Amino acid sequence: MKKQINYIVFLLSTIIIGIQGFVRAQDGEALFKAKCNTCHIMGKDATGPNLQGVKSKWEGEEDLLIEWVKNSPKVIAEGKSERAKVIKDYSPTVMPIQPVSDQEAKAIVEYVNSWTPSSPDTENPEKVAENVTNVPDYSLNQTLFYVLITVIALLLLSIFIISKSTSEIIKSDKFRNKLLEINKKRNSQGNKLSGLIMILFTGYSFQAAALSAAERETSTEKFSIYVENSDIYVLLTIALLLLGFLLHTVRMFYKILGLIQPKKTPQAVAEERFARNEKRQRTLTKILTAAVPVEEEYKIDTGHEYDGIRELDNRMPPWWLAGFFISIVFAVIYMFHYHVFKTGDLQEVEYAKIVKTENAKVKEYLKAQAMDVDETNATLMTDRADLRAGKSLFINNCAVCHKENGSGEVGPNLTDEYWIYGGDIKDLFGVVKKGTPNGMPDHQSKFNPIEIQQVSSFVLTLDKITQQMGGKEPEGKKYEHVGKTEEKMDDLQRENLKDDSLLQIAK
């Protein structure tokens, strides 16, 4: 009975918490203001697009719309939504992941979809203020009404069960005998007990009357959908009062139950607890070790004895045998899963898949940040701001081996037309990024792709700026730019000769 009571109390607490979560989930306006109005303004475009009537824009993709609110990068990556493909480039900033539940996301969508702009009377604001009234949310109130009625019914049912159980105890002969015994020993105690019983029966009468009232109310079946806020407050008050009365009834039940249970001395309680623990320990020891009691050791005696030590034919510990057989079964399953049927990936294959997936994520990130540049698609940058940035990177990181004018020292001369690993922008990008076997370190851990492209483009402008300065002897093969690339290089280098900030490195 105690377990049933605890279960009822736990159920009621869960329902109340669920009601609070339900109310929060339904408040779409509050959720929108808390999570969305930083980027979205209702009625017009802002950092995010206008969301008024959003369902019509996502027609046929309502489920994906809820997913979009929760995790837009995931919807874009999956590529299932045509609407997401259209709006993903609306802003350079990706919509962040929102920690909301499905119910909260639906509440936000319902709010923005049904939002309409207010039309205040600007000519007579006092008249507007007079006509403004606070209209309750009848839809929400109707839902809360039914939820509270259900909670009240459950509370009344719980009170009925506890009262009925208490009544059965009071009617029992055991309780009557105990009551007579107490009255004989202590009359005042009996008076107190009688008062306690009267309180219980008063609670039982109240419970019965409340049940009758609830039955009369529900039998009419005329609940109005226009439930006012005051009605909700009244029902909530009733529910809280009933909850308090239920807890009081449970407390009284245990007090009465304690009267008819035989009282044990502290010594008896301790002995019972000790016996129970000892029995539990013996059971656990037997399960783990399969040990034979001392009085039954003769059954497993092998007859071998030396210096007073007998040899017993004990079984292997069950936990050890279980582990041994589990290991065999696991080994067979593992072999067939990974090596025979090949339904699972070994560590090396799994690692390769993870690396491939993560590299794809990195590529998507770089693309989103306009940094999806590598040695296969690098292009010559001609903007002076980019070349100045490349010059700064070159002086701070490359001059120690190539000198500030690029004429070479430890590293090769960069002002001539000879290149060891190729003189194209793509070749140079790969050298700066990955390094070379002859001592050139990689710079992909120091530079981002745009910076590598900037410094590579700057290096290709050095030959006609500083070739008159001489430098280290040529190394590698001669490389000549052809066609439009040659014309582009010539124009770029002529422009750079006029730029004092770039020409300074040749002085």
Side-chain angles (χ1 to χ4, degrees):
M1 187 64 189
K2 184 176 180 181
K3 291 183 178 179
Q4 295 175 347
I5 294 170
N6 292 336
Y7 176 77
I8 292 173
V9 174
F10 173 77
L11 180 62
L12 293 174
S13 303
T14 305
I15 291 174
I16 293 173
I17 294 172
I19 292 172
Q20 296 175 350
F22 179 80
V23 172
R24 288 195 296 270
Q26 298 304 309
D27 195 355
E29 181 178 3
L31 289 168
F32 175 83
K33 291 180 179 179
K35 300 179 180 294
C36 310
N37 68 347
T38 302
C39 299
H40 295 277
I41 299 177
M42 295 306 299
K44 63 180 181 179
D45 292 333
T47 304
N50 181 16
L51 299 179
Q52 184 180 3
V54 69
K55 282 189 176 181
S56 61
K57 302 174 184 178
W58 286 73
E59 186 174 0
E61 297 183 353
E62 287 79 4
D63 294 340
L64 293 176
L65 172 58
I66 300 301
E67 289 299 322
W68 175 269
V69 174
K70 296 169 60 180
N71 192 341
S72 61
K74 178 183 177 182
V75 176
I76 294 173
E78 290 177 348
K80 297 179 181 178
S81 172
E82 296 298 327
R83 181 62 184 168
K85 295 177 182 178
V86 174
I87 63 176
K88 69 177 182 178
D89 296 326
Y90 177 87
S91 173
T93 304
V94 179
M95 177 176 169
I97 297 173
Q98 299 295 334
V100 295
S101 64
D102 288 342
Q103 286 186 345
E104 291 173 333
K106 289 178 181 178
I108 294 173
V109 171
E110 291 296 333
Y111 166 71
V112 298
N113 184 68
S114 59
W115 181 87
T116 55
S118 58
S119 54
D121 187 354
T122 55
E123 297 180 358
N124 192 359
E126 295 181 358
K127 182 178 179 182
V128 174
E130 292 176 359
N131 295 332
V132 171
T133 56
N134 294 324
V135 180
D137 187 348
Y138 289 113
S139 176
L140 176 60
N141 284 359
Q142 178 71 5
T143 303
L144 290 177
F145 175 82
Y146 289 123
V147 171
L148 288 173
I149 286 295
T150 304
V151 172
I152 290 172
L154 290 173
L155 288 171
L156 291 174
L157 178 62
S158 303
I159 292 173
F160 172 78
I161 294 173
I162 299 298
S163 300
K164 193 69 175 175
S165 302
T166 305
S167 178
E168 292 297 326
I169 294 176
I170 293 174
K171 292 177 182 178
S172 65
D173 293 336
K174 191 174 183 180
F175 180 80
R176 291 177 182 176
N177 296 334
K178 187 69 176 179
L179 187 60
L180 291 174
E181 180 183 346
I182 293 175
N183 284 333
K184 289 179 180 179
K185 292 182 177 180
R186 255 196 290 178
N187 190 37
S188 59
Q189 180 71 15
N191 292 336
K192 293 181 181 179
L193 184 60
S194 300
L196 175 62
I197 297 171
M198 290 300 297
I199 291 174
L200 285 172
F201 277 112
T202 302
Y204 179 80
S205 301
F206 172 79
Q207 169 264 338
L211 274 179
S212 300
E215 290 171 358
R216 288 196 298 272
E217 184 178 359
T218 55
S219 64
T220 59
E221 298 181 354
K222 293 182 180 179
F223 291 126
S224 172
I225 61 172
Y226 298 102
V227 181
E228 301 295 336
N229 291 337
S230 57
D231 301 330
I232 299 299
Y233 296 146
V234 170
L235 288 176
L236 183 60
T237 302
I238 293 173
L240 292 175
L241 289 174
L242 288 176
L243 178 60
F245 185 76
L246 173 63
L247 297 176
H248 173 72
T249 307
V250 172
R251 181 169 171 268
M252 293 299 103
F253 171 80
Y254 281 115
K255 280 192 174 182
I256 291 178
L257 190 63
L259 291 175
I260 63 175
Q261 290 180 340
K263 294 184 178 180
K264 299 179 181 178
T265 62
Q267 183 179 358
V269 173
E271 290 176 355
E272 183 179 346
R273 186 183 299 112
F274 176 78
R276 187 167 55 249
N277 292 337
E278 188 178 8
K279 182 179 179 181
R280 187 183 299 113
Q281 186 175 3
R282 285 200 303 267
T283 303
L284 180 62
T285 302
K286 186 175 182 180
I287 292 174
L288 292 177
T289 65
V292 177
V294 176
E295 58 273 12
E296 298 181 7
E297 285 184 352
Y298 69 90
K299 296 180 181 179
I300 58 173
D301 193 339
T302 61
H304 299 160
E305 182 177 351
Y306 181 79
D307 197 17
I309 301 174
R310 293 181 300 144
E311 181 183 354
L312 302 179
D313 187 17
N314 286 308
R315 292 173 51 194
M316 294 292 292
W319 65 266
W320 190 92
L321 289 174
F324 176 69
F325 290 122
I326 289 173
S327 300
I328 294 174
V329 173
F330 176 81
V332 173
I333 295 175
Y334 183 92
M335 181 182 66
F336 278 91
H337 179 57
Y338 288 105
H339 297 283
V340 178
F341 299 124
K342 297 184 178 180
T343 53
D345 295 329
L346 293 172
Q347 290 181 345
E348 184 177 0
V349 177
E350 185 179 5
Y351 172 76
K353 287 184 177 180
I354 293 174
V355 170
K356 184 178 179 181
T357 302
E358 296 304 319
N359 286 338
K361 291 180 182 179
V362 172
K363 188 174 181 181
E364 288 295 326
Y365 171 78
L366 293 176
K367 185 176 181 181
Q369 302 297 323
M371 291 188 181
D372 54 335
V373 183
D374 57 23
E375 55 272 24
T376 64
N377 60 2
T379 58
L380 185 66
M381 305 181 79
T382 60
D383 187 79
R384 290 197 176 184
D386 291 322
L387 294 174
R388 289 192 186 98
K391 170 194 170 183
S392 177
L393 293 169
F394 182 88
I395 292 176
N396 293 328
N397 297 275
C398 311
V400 66
C401 294
H402 298 281
K403 289 190 175 181
E404 289 190 359
N405 62 3
S407 58
E409 188 171 26
V410 177
N413 189 345
L414 302 179
T415 65
D416 55 30
E417 297 179 348
Y418 291 84
W419 300 90
I420 301 174
Y421 301 99
D424 185 72
I425 181 64
K426 295 181 176 61
D427 299 327
L428 195 54
F429 187 100
V431 170
V432 176
K433 176 183 177 181
K434 299 180 180 179
T436 62
N438 62 355
M440 168 78 173
D442 71 275
H443 291 76
Q444 58 184 344
S445 60
K446 299 172 62 177
F447 299 161
N448 62 47
I450 299 300
E451 291 174 333
I452 294 177
Q453 192 171 216
Q454 288 172 340
V455 73
S456 300
S457 298
F458 173 75
V459 168
L460 290 177
T461 66
L462 288 174
D463 54 352
K464 291 194 176 181
I465 297 177
T466 59
Q467 62 183 352
Q468 68 272 20
M469 300 295 296
K472 194 175 179 181
E473 292 297 323
E475 298 179 62
K477 298 180 180 180
K478 187 174 182 180
Y479 185 89
E480 295 183 1
H481 297 281
V482 296
K484 293 184 178 180
T485 304
E486 174 66 20
E487 296 176 3
K488 189 174 184 180
M489 289 291 298
D490 290 342
D491 293 340
L492 178 61
Q493 290 161 353
R494 279 194 295 270
E495 288 295 323
N496 289 341
L497 284 172
K498 301 175 183 178
D499 193 332
D500 291 341
S501 65
L502 297 175
L503 190 60
Q504 284 178 0
I505 63 172
K507 295 182 180 179

